[in-house]
Amino acid sequence: MLDRQDTGAQERFDEGEQALRLAVESSGEDASALVELAHFLDVVRDSPEEAEPLFAEAAQRASKLLEEAWAGWIGVLSQQEKFDAALELSSRAQRVFPDSELIAEATALVRQSAAREE
C-alpha cells in the first residue's frame, strides 16, 4: 500500500493510472488493456469495487474473441482436411460455448466436409 505522505510516489502512480486509462481508451477498450487497468486499481489503488466492472468487461470481450477465434480455427482446419483436429477442437469449443451459433455452424461445416471425404 502506498504511504500517502510520499507525494512523489503518489504522482508516479497517478501518471501510471492516467497512462493505463489512455491505453484502454486508445485500444477501444481492448480486453488486455482493461485487465491491466483493473489489476492496477485492485492492487495499487486497493479499489476492488472499481476494478470489478473492468474485469467483467474484459472477460466478456475476451470470451467473444475466443469464440470467434475458435470458430475460425475450426474452419481453417476443415479447409485443410484436418477433420479429426477440427472435430476435437469443436468438441472443446462446444463445452465452453454450448449456445454459440458460430461454433455450431463451424461444427456443422466440418461434419459435412468430413462426410464428403468418406
Side-chain angles (χ1 to χ4, degrees), residues 43-115:
V43 175
V44 176
R45 296 293 191 203
D46 192 27
S47 182
E49 300 83 10
E50 195 174 356
E52 180 185 357
L54 296 174
F55 279 125
E57 180 66 21
Q60 181 181 3
R61 288 174 182 261
S63 178
K64 183 63 180 164
L65 184 61
L66 178 60
E67 178 186 7
E68 291 174 6
W70 273 353
W73 189 8
I74 292 164
V76 297
L77 287 171
S78 179
Q79 290 172 18
Q80 298 174 74
E81 298 181 0
K82 298 178 181 179
F83 301 122
D84 290 339
L87 290 170
E88 183 178 321
L89 180 60
S90 174
S91 177
R92 191 167 89 198
Q94 287 176 321
R95 284 192 300 275
V96 175
F97 300 104
D99 300 323
S100 170
E101 290 182 28
L102 282 174
I103 302 297
E105 289 172 11
T107 301
L109 291 173
V110 171
R111 289 188 177 133
Q112 289 172 358
S113 296

Side-chain angles (χ1 to χ4, degrees), residues 18-57:
Q18 186 176 27
L20 286 168
R21 289 187 184 279
L22 180 60
V24 167
E25 183 180 318
S26 65
S27 72
E29 297 188 0
D30 177 71
S32 61
L34 287 166
V35 166
E36 293 304 321
L37 176 57
H39 277 302
F40 178 89
L41 293 171
D42 179 34
V43 175
V44 176
R45 296 293 191 203
D46 192 27
S47 182
E49 300 83 10
E50 195 174 356
E52 180 185 357
L54 296 174
F55 279 125
E57 180 66 21

